[in-house]
Amino acid sequence: MDGVFNENDLSHIVDADKAHVWHHLTQHKAFETGDPRIILEGKGMRVWDQKGKEYLDAVSGGVWTVNVGYGRESIAKAVYDQLIKLCYFAQSAGSIPGALFSEKLISKMPGMSRVYYCNSGSEANEKVFKMVRQIAHKKYGGKKHKILFRDRDYHGGTLATMSAGGQEERVAQYGPLAPGFVRVPHCMEYRAQWDLTGEAYGQRAADAIEEVILAEGPDTVGAICLEPVTAGGGVITPPPGYWERVQEICKKYDVLLHIDEVVCGIGRTGTWFGYQQYGIKPDFVTMAKGVASGYAAIACMVTTEEVFDMFKDNAADPMNYFRDISTFGGCAAGPAAALENMRIIEDENLLDNCNAMGERMMGNLEALMEKHKVVGDVRGKGLFLGAELVADRATKEAVDEKLVGQVVAECGAQGVLIGATNRSIPGLNNVLCFSPALIATADDIDQITDTVDRALSKVFG
């Protein structure tokens, strides 16, 4: 480590954390007798905790965020320089980094044209929901207001985004939820809902969306919100034929297509955006995590000029614009960091590296599946991968999630941080999750999968 903390400082840090910090996604009872992990420093693919233990981070900050790795001085300098010049002004006015990053971002998104800044993926998704509702009132007398969402997808932790959440354990005990959000079936062929395979399965899964639209009434459905690759619901890649049919259905029934790229965006799948893997032409795209690789808080809602024009077609009407503000959408550090983050991805050819290392990691995971019967399926795109653990390959019965936790813990004990589906789908929190930074090397990839190999052997024999 290069840090300057001494033992007394760290003792105080740990005590202060235990006394005052409420950690995310964590049951704190264990901290009454033990200490939380505190990450002190990161460099490249590696981080160090308060005990000086080194970890290879295979989940990019725990939640698939630090796409370009830790310790990027050029991003820190870009943020510093911008903060000295201008730290903040409400986004009702513009800023230099806001203008330049929007231009750069749109250059990677043919067909899109407008960027709305905010500070989290949940908030970005809420902006779309509000726009859809406002469009419903402007054009359809308020009737075409329903928003479809997909089983297993996740779109955020606010009440509105939880109302569009397809993970029962994420929304349990937080009701009543907001009305007007309607679930459609997932598209996961491994846990097939229809006796079909390949393209036929993909088209059938999409047809299920049409069935929901017809049941609800096409004149009531305004939009559908989907992840291009489902993240926390099990790292689910769509079957062939799925997205083409979804696009047809949206066009047929005048349903706006909202693609949630909070996880997949900015290179994670090997293209700038996950939707670009499938030829999708969205009306809205939302993004957060990898936009600045965690160096600053920033999220974006991106849309088309056609949508944008709907909010300025009658300037005489005082209600005819998007009457919304995001306080920290005016922070200038976010787009400054995002500009430098995108430059790094371009100059270091990290999209190509993502594809090459993703292919290597998928091959390694497939080898693990041949070796360990507990691995029922491996799937993913780029450096966004998952391995589903099952007690029986024939029945696909999920392993007990305590055993999944043991695999994660054993990998951590061996110096590699991996993830797993967490409080998502009842009885199906059984998927190991991997999202190493786009800078990963072949040695990094092999270390991750070799460690998983040893952990599986230790836990399952």
Side-chain angles (χ1 to χ4, degrees):
M1 286 198 305
D2 298 325
V4 295
F5 290 102
N6 61 45
E7 188 174 345
N8 291 330
D9 289 328
L10 294 181
S11 176
H12 174 70
I13 295 298
V14 173
D15 289 345
D17 185 283
K18 290 175 70 171
H20 303 297
V21 176
W22 196 330
H23 290 268
H24 301 181
L25 292 172
T26 301
Q27 167 56 259
H28 282 63
K29 188 69 176 176
F31 298 155
E32 293 179 2
T33 55
D35 292 339
R37 177 188 289 152
I38 298 175
I39 301 299
L40 304 183
E41 186 178 337
K43 192 71 175 176
M45 290 280 295
R46 286 158 177 79
V47 297
W48 290 264
D49 69 12
Q50 75 267 33
K51 298 178 182 178
K53 184 174 176 64
E54 178 181 312
Y55 301 92
L56 174 58
D57 179 7
V59 279
S60 294
V63 285
W64 22 54
T65 298
V66 189
N67 284 9
V68 299
Y70 298 96
R72 291 284 189 171
E73 292 185 20
S74 65
I75 303 181
K77 186 178 186 303
V79 170
Y80 173 84
D81 290 346
Q82 180 57 49
L83 292 180
I84 295 300
K85 194 169 192 176
L86 177 72
C87 63
Y88 174 87
F89 198 88
Q91 193 59 28
S92 52
S95 70
I96 291 174
L100 293 178
F101 180 63
S102 66
E103 179 182 50
K104 185 72 171 178
L105 182 62
I106 291 301
S107 75
K108 306 300 183 186
M109 305 177 72
M112 312 304 285
S113 67
R114 296 285 172 168
V115 180
Y116 191 98
Y117 289 114
C118 47
N119 73 319
S120 74
S122 299
E123 193 183 14
N125 287 330
E126 287 231 12
K127 302 310 179 188
V128 176
F129 297 166
K130 290 176 71 174
M131 287 182 181
V132 171
R133 293 285 170 86
Q134 191 170 345
I135 290 168
H137 285 279
K138 283 169 52 61
K139 293 183 64 178
Y140 306 103
K143 190 173 182 181
K144 201 172 175 68
H145 69 276
K146 293 177 185 175
I147 295 167
L148 307 184
F149 65 95
R150 186 172 57 194
D151 187 33
R152 286 180 168 257
D153 280 8
Y154 175 80
H155 301 296
T158 63
L159 278 172
T161 52
M162 282 194 296
S163 301
Q167 301 176 11
E168 288 86 348
E169 290 187 343
R170 289 281 185 180
V171 303
Q173 303 177 356
Y174 296 126
L177 300 174
F181 293 89
V182 181
R183 186 187 299 243
V184 302
H186 66 74
C187 66
M188 183 183 186
E189 188 175 347
Y190 179 68
R191 294 194 174 275
Q193 301 163 92
W194 303 278
D195 188 19
L196 298 165
T197 59
E199 188 168 346
Y201 186 87
Q203 291 180 347
R204 180 64 187 87
D207 287 342
I209 295 174
E210 182 175 36
E211 291 167 3
V212 172
I213 292 172
L214 292 173
E216 293 292 323
D219 59 341
T220 71
V221 178
I224 182 168
C225 180
L226 300 168
E227 293 182 274
V229 177
T230 297
V235 190
I236 303 167
T237 49
Y242 180 76
W243 276 113
E244 295 88 343
R245 183 74 182 113
V246 168
Q247 193 92 39
E248 291 175 2
I249 292 166
C250 288
K251 186 174 182 180
K252 180 178 180 180
Y253 297 106
D254 191 23
V255 172
L256 294 169
L257 180 54
H258 168 194
I259 302 297
D260 179 345
E261 292 271 355
V262 170
V263 172
C264 294
I266 314 297
R268 173 56 56 192
T269 68
T271 48
W272 282 109
F273 295 94
Y275 76 86
Q276 293 167 344
Q277 297 276 0
Y278 305 106
I280 304 166
K281 296 180 179 179
D283 299 291
F284 302 98
V285 179
T286 47
M287 63 195 76
K289 298 180 184 294
V291 173
S293 288
Y295 285 80
I298 180 175
C300 305
M301 189 290 304
V302 181
T303 190
T304 64
E305 202 68 9
E306 182 180 4
V307 170
F308 178 74
D309 284 345
M310 285 191 241
F311 292 85
K312 65 184 182 75
D313 54 358
N314 181 8
D317 180 356
M319 299 291 280
N320 191 31
Y321 63 97
F322 189 46
R323 304 177 314 281
D324 177 274
I325 187 170
S326 170
T327 297
F328 293 115
C331 286
L339 267 169
E340 180 60 15
N341 183 67
M342 189 170 276
R343 182 201 66 76
I344 289 169
I345 293 172
E346 286 186 312
D347 288 359
E348 297 184 11
N349 298 314
L350 294 185
L351 296 184
D352 290 342
N353 190 65
C354 179
N355 285 310
M357 292 302 103
E359 184 177 345
R360 184 183 188 94
M361 189 163 187
M362 179 60 79
N364 289 1
L365 291 174
E366 289 170 346
L368 289 183
M369 187 164 64
E370 290 182 13
K371 180 177 179 180
H372 298 276
K373 291 183 179 180
V374 72
V375 181
D377 190 38
V378 295
R379 49 189 181 255
K381 184 72 73 171
L383 283 171
F384 181 27
L385 300 134
E388 182 157 354
L389 305 185
V390 294
D392 185 299
R393 282 189 177 177
T395 65
K396 300 180 183 177
E397 175 192 355
V399 300
D400 189 299
E401 59 186 78
K402 290 182 180 179
L403 297 175
V404 179
Q406 288 179 28
V407 174
V408 174
E410 181 58 30
C411 286
Q414 295 186 35
V416 173
L417 300 176
I418 69 169
T421 44
N422 178 26
R423 297 282 66 77
S424 298
I425 314 297
L428 290 172
N429 295 304
N430 64 319
V431 180
L432 302 179
C433 301
F434 308 95
S435 56
L438 310 186
I439 63 172
T441 65
D443 286 345
D444 294 328
I445 297 302
D446 292 348
Q447 183 181 343
I448 293 166
T449 51
D450 287 347
T451 303
V452 173
D453 183 12
R454 292 191 296 270
L456 291 172
S457 293
K458 184 168 183 178
V459 175
F460 295 102

